[in-house]
Each structure stands twice: as C-alpha cells, then as structure tokens.
Amino acid sequence: MEEQEKTLKVLRRLRCHWQHEGRKRKQLVLLYVGKELVQSSCWQADCCLWQKEKTLEVPWEEGCDAWWQALEEALQDTFIWARVPEMVDTIVVLEEELVLSEQLELPQLREKELVQAVAWEAEQLVPGQGEDYNTAFAVAEAAGQNVQIQLWAWPREQVERVCNLAMGLHLRLQALLVGMNKEKVQWAWYKGYSLKNWSLLEDKACWLHQAERLVQSHYPRRFLSLCVAFSLGLYLIAEGACWLAQRSLNENAQALAQYAVWEERLQQSHRLEGTLAKYRQLDKKVREQSTQMSSSVQRLGQSVSVGCWLELLRGDARSREWQLEGASYQPEALSRLVDNLQQDPKLGKVHLQNSQQQGAKLSFSLVVKEK
C-alpha cells in the first residue's frame, strides 16, 4: 500500500507540473457569485488584468428565474466592457450562503477512504435527496489524530443552471467552488493543482456540458464553414485542372492533327521523290540508249557511200544488233558500203542477208552487230 501511495504521489506531481506548464500561458476568468452581487476578474500568471463588480437588482431566491436572468445580463455587460474572448477558462466561486455546508471531523484516512467517508456524510447532510445534490469538500486542518473537513452541497438543478449560464456566455467552465477567495483560487489554478474534490461539478457532467457548449458554440459552424470553403476550393481547383487538361488535350489533338497532315504530306513527298528517282533512272537509261543509238546510227550512216542509201534501220541498243535495209543504183556502191562496215573497228559482224535487183534499183538487207 505504501508503494502504491508513493506512486500516486509521483503521478500527482507529474500531473500538477504538466497542468502548471499548460495553464501559466492562459488567462483565467474568476466569477464570485453572491446573493446580491457578482464580481468578475481576469488573471494571468499572478497578476490581475482587470476586475469589475456589479450589483444584482433581483434578490436571491432558490429557483428564481429572474435572479439568474439578472446574473446573465450583468455578466454580459461586464464581458462586453472587458472584451473577454470566447471559450476562456473560467472558475465560478459561490458565496457560502448560497449552499448547504457542514463541518466534519474524521480520523486520519487515506485519500480513497476519505472520499468514501465524505460521500457517506453528504448523504446524511441532505437525507433522502443525496442523488439530487452535488457535493464538494476541503480538508480544513488537523486536530490531533482527526482532520477537519468542510463539506458543501448544492442542488444539481442549480449546478445545471451555472453550466447553462457558462455555455450561453461561451465560457469554458473548469470548476464550481465554494468558500475560497479569488487570490487563493488563481494561485491554486496556476500552480497546476487539481480542483476535483473542491468543485461542485461532476466530472461526467463537466465533460458533457463542455461537449454541449462546443456543439452550440460558433466553432462547429466555423469548422463546417471551413470544410465547405475547403470543399468548394477543391472543387474549383479540380474544375480548373479539368479545364486545363481539356485545353491541353485539345491543343495536343490539334497538334496531332497538324502532325498527321504533315506526316501525310511527308509520305507523299517521299513517294514523289521515289517516283522521281525512278523516272530519273529511266530517263538516264533512255538517254544512254538514245545516245548510244544516235552514235551507232551516225556511225552506220557515215559508212554509206555515194549512190547508196538506207531506207530502214531497225535494232536494239541493248543487244547492239542492227538491221539495215536500203537500195543502190550501182552494185559498186553496195560493195563499198559492205567494205566500209567491215573495216569499222567497232563492228564485229557484218552480214549481207539479201540483195535483189528491182529494175534499175538494187535493194539489199544487212545485219550489223557492234562489239
């Protein structure tokens, strides 16, 4: 048990240190609520930023709606005057005359046993109605082997009213205390102490009201607005990206269409160049053949002597074989033609195929082959 107590003390110190580090940079609003007045003050790490007191025109009566309305209006005027930010940490301190209180004397007990004993004593303080009251206690002092305990109880309905009041004013209610002054409260708060046993708020109810306050505050609306704006921004960005992509696709399609036209023209140009190359080669061959044919015809024509003529010249430049048909009035002219052709060094074969006398004209046919 001693080891467990030591572990709990170490954990409490760590939690206290962590809470102290988190709270020392925050503001704290303290509300002291009495039967006839309300005191508001704002603290920040051991210094009071401002303080204001307002008198309530409606006298306190338990369950009086007019008193709660006057309290809310007074706090609204104070917060507007001081420009209190929303969702600021707030502690409400109640005047002791508003709650039931009793002083107890208990023996020295461990913390868990002390909490159980105080809970039992609270049932005796409001017999038959314990479930309708929230309780808090504070260890006052030790008297010998006993300890003095100050016990407070307040109807749960009134605690709910305080929570609803804080929720309506957009405050983050942290504790509902009794029997403490504001200097002690702010000192304990900024030191990081836990106010669990001192507060009339139940942990479950506190979290529930914080959740309700958060739902009813402007933060969900802001968050929803941010989500809508973010979604709208994403939609606009997506639409813009789609438009740019479509534009790029159209430009690429136009470029591809132009490329297809140029490619088709290029293919036509290649086909034309190929056709022209074929025509050039054919023209070259024809020119070579015509040149060769003309030189052969010229050479054969130069061999014809006077008194003899050619009427027909057939042949192929590729095979280099020619057939000559002609006529002569003198047989000697035909003999000279044959002799001239046989003496030509570029001719390899000269053959007289036919010679026939037709009146005064002698017709002949020769076959000549070039080397």
Side-chain angles (χ1 to χ4, degrees):
M1 295 297 292
E2 293 181 359
E3 293 295 330
Q4 186 177 3
E5 290 290 334
K6 290 181 180 179
T7 303
L8 291 176
K9 288 182 180 180
V10 171
L11 292 177
R12 269 193 226 101
R13 289 177 182 176
L14 291 175
R15 183 182 62 185
C16 183
H17 175 72
W18 176 75
Q19 290 180 344
H20 169 68
E21 293 297 324
R23 293 173 180 176
K24 68 180 181 181
R25 289 181 290 271
K26 294 183 179 181
Q27 292 185 2
L28 175 66
V29 172
L30 288 177
L31 302 178
Y32 176 80
V33 179
K35 287 186 174 182
E36 299 179 353
L37 58 85
V38 56
Q39 293 179 352
S40 306
S41 59
C42 183
W43 296 78
Q44 186 171 9
D46 298 337
C47 67
C48 183
L49 301 179
W50 56 265
Q51 183 171 340
K52 193 173 181 63
E53 179 178 325
K54 294 204 71 172
T55 302
L56 301 178
E57 298 178 356
V58 181
W60 160 259
E61 290 183 9
E62 188 172 349
C64 179
D65 296 335
W67 184 88
W68 288 99
Q69 183 67 28
L71 175 62
E72 183 176 2
E73 291 177 356
L75 291 177
Q76 285 179 347
D77 295 340
T78 301
F79 290 167
I80 293 174
W81 167 80
R83 296 182 181 179
V84 176
E86 293 186 354
M87 305 304 293
V88 66
D89 292 331
T90 305
I91 295 178
V92 177
V93 181
L94 298 175
E95 186 179 358
E96 284 199 64
E97 295 181 3
L98 296 175
V99 301
L100 299 175
S101 62
E102 184 175 349
Q103 192 168 7
L104 307 175
E105 184 174 348
L106 298 175
Q108 295 283 352
L109 299 172
R110 294 188 176 88
E111 183 177 356
K112 290 184 178 180
E113 297 173 348
L114 181 63
V115 171
Q116 294 175 356
V118 170
W120 185 84
E121 292 291 342
E123 293 180 357
Q124 307 307 313
L125 178 63
V126 283
Q129 299 180 355
E131 296 180 355
D132 298 331
Y133 280 75
N134 285 4
T135 58
F137 70 92
V139 179
E141 59 182 4
Q145 295 183 351
N146 297 332
V147 292
Q148 298 293 328
I149 304 293
Q150 185 66 42
L151 176 64
W152 300 283
W154 209 33
R156 188 163 298 169
E157 180 183 357
Q158 306 297 331
V159 176
E160 291 287 338
R161 282 180 174 267
V162 174
C163 294
N164 294 332
L165 176 65
M167 182 171 59
L169 296 173
H170 302 290
L171 302 175
R172 184 183 289 113
L173 185 60
Q174 300 293 335
L176 180 59
L177 307 179
V178 185
M180 299 177 68
N181 56 40
K182 55 181 177 296
E183 288 79 10
K184 183 178 179 181
V185 171
Q186 68 86 18
W187 178 84
W189 171 259
Y190 283 110
K191 284 295 183 179
Y193 293 159
S194 174
L195 305 177
K196 178 180 178 182
N197 295 330
W198 300 351
S199 177
L200 290 168
L201 290 179
E202 296 180 351
D203 291 340
K204 183 177 180 181
C206 181
W207 283 106
L208 181 60
H209 282 285
Q210 286 184 0
E212 292 178 354
R213 181 168 60 249
L214 181 63
V215 170
Q216 296 183 8
S217 67
H218 66 284
Y219 289 105
R221 294 191 295 272
R222 286 185 181 178
F223 179 74
L224 182 60
S225 300
L226 288 176
C227 290
V228 172
F230 183 70
S231 301
L232 182 60
L234 288 180
Y235 173 75
L236 293 177
I237 291 173
E239 286 293 325
C242 290
W243 180 79
L244 290 176
Q246 186 64 35
R247 181 180 177 182
S248 178
L249 287 175
N250 293 334
E251 292 177 354
N252 291 334
Q254 293 178 1
L256 288 174
Q258 294 178 358
Y259 175 76
V261 172
W262 284 109
E263 185 177 10
E264 184 178 357
R265 291 180 180 177
L266 182 62
Q267 292 177 357
Q268 291 178 358
S269 176
H270 288 333
R271 288 196 295 269
L272 289 175
E273 288 181 359
T275 305
L276 287 175
K278 292 180 180 179
Y279 285 151
R280 289 192 186 98
Q281 292 179 359
L282 181 60
D283 181 63
K284 183 178 179 181
K285 292 180 180 179
V286 169
R287 287 191 179 189
E288 289 177 354
Q289 292 179 3
S290 62
T291 301
Q292 185 179 1
M293 185 182 297
S294 61
S295 61
S296 300
V297 171
Q298 183 179 4
R299 185 169 55 254
L300 294 174
Q302 289 176 354
S303 300
V304 178
S305 60
V306 179
C308 183
W309 68 87
L310 295 177
E311 295 178 347
L312 179 64
L313 178 62
R314 289 197 301 265
D316 187 4
R318 190 174 298 174
S319 62
R320 296 177 179 271
E321 186 172 330
W322 306 93
Q323 183 177 358
L324 288 71
E325 293 182 1
S328 172
Y329 288 110
Q330 298 175 3
E332 295 83 2
L334 177 57
S335 298
R336 284 194 302 271
L337 174 59
V338 174
D339 292 339
N340 291 336
L341 292 175
Q342 289 178 348
Q343 292 176 4
D344 191 341
K346 293 185 178 181
L347 300 177
K349 176 182 177 183
V350 178
H351 175 64
L352 181 60
Q353 283 187 334
N354 185 19
S355 62
Q356 184 178 0
Q357 189 70 38
Q358 296 178 353
K361 183 175 67 172
L362 177 62
S363 299
F364 62 87
S365 176
L366 289 171
V367 175
V368 178
K369 184 168 181 142
E370 297 184 75
K371 292 182 179 179

